[in-house]
Amino acid sequence: MDADRVEIDGGIMEGGGQILRVSTALSCLLGLPLRVRRIRAGRSQPGLRPQHLSGLEIIRDLCEGKLEGGEIGSTEITFTPGKIKGGAHIADTKTAGSVCLLMQVAMPCVLFAASPSELHLKGGTNAEMAPQIDYTVMVFKPIVEKFNFTFNCDIKKRGYYPQGGGEVVVQMSPVKELSPINLTERGTVTKIHGRAFVAGALPIKLAKDMAAAAVRCIRKEIRDLYINIQPVREPDDQAFGTGSGIIVVAETSTGCLLAGSSLGKRGKNSDKVGIEAAEILLRNLKHGGTVDDSLQDQLIIFMALAKGVSRVKSGPITLHTQTAIHFAEQLTKAKFTVTKSEEEDPSEDSYIIECQGMGMINPNL
């Protein structure tokens, strides 16, 4: 068996948890035994952190696989997948580890399960170094559903750094196969909306300040568009701990969604949080791509699994995306090409990510 193990170097390219997420999800889907070495080798705390371990454990549980080396700090794991089954599964990082990253690793697998799944994901919903749950619901969900599947995401409780304590329930039914996507026309921005939130001990004034600062910043570039950013205080029974942040989403005439988001932290001025989110959004709008820099890499695994050719116009290719492409090609028969998009507008910096998908078929349906 060990002779057939696919060897993954977890320390190359982006060198982080993403390599684990892409490679273990594909290992599970394709029934490929895996060894990952040098996990997070270049990080300040190398090896598995709690959220990476939770991700590995949910994949193991989803397919009744065997995981060796699965402990905090481990820099090498071996994984032997079994058959993907549906049903209810729980993953708990027991920290502020991101529920959105747990969703990223589990979702491709449960799409090809034998029956519907319900994932109870616990940890941080609005945490640093990961998409916020609002991004997952407002941007990732409507776009990824273009691959021809749907899922339901119920935010039971929000959780913040450092304790976590959030919970999200994801329900989805399996599909026979994924359709390719074609996201190459950006269109014009038709509306900008968002939410600025506070939870726990923080006053609503902070949310209002974040929202106002973001609007002022966007107004400088985009003058004639209505911008609606709701300031909200999360109800106490729906949030654990104290946190704040903002997400601003632009919608275009062709149905593209691009966003900018930021989190508050102690000692960080609320205006600065709002401006940061607005500047990220404006940067994403400037490059002319149909997806923002956070969504790029999250689409790669679905493009690789889909049946047919997918094309996505994006801004400059992030290291996360290059890494996802590298491991998707290593593990599947998918072929990716990235070409500079020939634009009339010289201020744009866009690329076409094209993928001939492997055409994964659900053997259970």
Side-chain angles (χ1 to χ4, degrees):
M1 190 72 175
D2 261 12
D4 306 332
R5 271 194 202 283
V6 180
E7 296 282 340
I8 297 287
D9 182 345
I12 63 168
M13 301 180 80
E14 199 277 323
Q18 190 209 17
I19 296 176
L20 277 171
R21 288 190 292 279
V22 172
S23 58
T24 49
L26 289 173
S27 156
C28 171
L29 283 162
L30 302 168
L32 294 169
L34 198 66
R35 176 182 285 107
V36 188
R37 304 179 194 268
R38 299 203 318 129
I39 293 169
R40 300 180 70 253
R43 296 295 197 257
S44 56
Q45 287 182 299
L48 296 176
R49 304 302 306 140
Q51 74 181 40
H52 307 116
L53 186 52
S54 306
L56 289 172
E57 289 171 343
I58 196 167
I59 293 287
R60 177 196 65 196
D61 298 347
L62 283 173
C63 70
E64 297 181 319
K66 267 182 43 210
L67 174 66
E68 290 164 45
E71 51 263 340
I72 306 288
S74 168
T75 57
E76 182 173 325
I77 58 124
T78 60
F79 178 64
T80 312
K83 183 179 184 302
I84 307 172
K85 58 185 197 348
H89 298 279
I90 297 176
D92 186 354
T93 67
K94 304 196 172 54
T95 64
S98 167
V99 296
C100 303
L101 295 180
L102 291 175
M103 205 185 301
Q104 261 184 43
V105 68
M107 189 174 284
C109 301
V110 294
L111 278 174
F112 292 92
S115 59
S117 304
E118 185 170 283
L119 308 174
H120 292 252
L121 309 174
K122 301 178 183 184
T125 59
N126 299 77
E128 291 282 5
M129 307 295 293
Q132 296 190 45
I133 192 67
D134 308 85
Y135 181 89
T136 300
V137 172
M138 293 164 78
V139 179
F140 171 78
K141 182 181 192 295
I143 302 295
V144 84
E145 287 182 341
K146 291 179 191 287
F147 286 100
N148 212 7
F149 69 92
T150 56
F151 68 97
N152 189 45
C153 179
D154 185 11
I155 305 167
K156 297 283 188 203
K157 198 172 233 173
R158 289 166 178 272
Y160 311 97
Y161 182 82
Q163 302 114 310
E167 183 180 1
V168 172
V169 179
V170 178
Q171 293 163 312
M172 60 198 311
S173 294
V175 294
K176 183 72 186 158
E177 59 189 22
L178 295 177
S179 304
I181 59 167
N182 189 34
L183 296 177
T184 49
E185 297 297 323
R186 222 287 296 281
T188 54
V189 178
T190 51
K191 67 180 205 188
I192 294 178
H193 62 277
R195 76 193 294 270
F197 68 87
V198 291
L202 301 174
I204 186 73
K205 181 184 183 317
L206 290 184
K208 290 177 176 166
D209 289 349
M210 286 188 280
V215 171
R216 282 196 307 272
C217 182
I218 295 165
R219 276 268 172 268
K220 289 186 190 137
E221 302 280 324
I222 303 173
R223 287 178 188 82
D224 46 355
L225 210 58
Y226 177 62
I227 304 172
N228 177 21
I229 304 175
Q230 293 294 150
V232 289
R233 188 174 189 289
E234 308 292 6
D236 286 335
D237 60 343
Q238 287 169 37
F240 184 81
T242 296
S244 66
I246 183 170
I247 177 168
V248 194
V249 180
E251 209 166 303
T252 77
S253 53
T254 53
C256 299
L257 297 164
L258 301 96
S261 61
S262 181
L263 287 168
K265 50 174 177 253
R266 187 169 298 186
K268 187 170 171 186
N269 176 315
S270 48
D271 282 23
K272 187 167 183 258
V273 182
I275 290 166
E276 205 167 75
E279 285 178 341
I280 293 170
L281 173 64
L282 290 170
R283 201 162 59 232
N284 279 315
L285 289 175
K286 199 176 165 103
H287 60 52
T290 62
V291 297
D292 64 35
D293 298 350
S294 303
L295 192 63
Q296 251 186 48
D297 70 286
Q298 298 182 56
L299 297 179
I300 298 300
I301 191 167
F302 298 101
M303 291 169 78
L305 293 168
K307 184 180 181 181
V309 177
S310 292
R311 298 177 77 227
V312 175
K313 184 179 179 185
S314 74
I317 309 294
T318 64
L319 185 54
H320 264 111
T321 298
Q322 291 170 31
T323 306
I325 289 173
H326 176 87
F327 289 101
E329 287 191 324
Q330 185 183 340
L331 292 161
T332 70
K333 293 188 168 61
K335 270 315 305 145
F336 285 84
T337 54
V338 176
T339 47
K340 183 90 175 79
S341 176
E342 295 309 321
E343 284 313 320
E344 299 80 67
D345 186 344
S347 70
E348 288 191 5
D349 188 10
S350 57
Y351 297 78
I352 302 284
I353 306 170
E354 193 170 310
C355 174
Q356 174 67 57
M358 64 166 284
M360 176 82 184
I361 303 279
N362 189 335
N364 308 297
L365 295 188

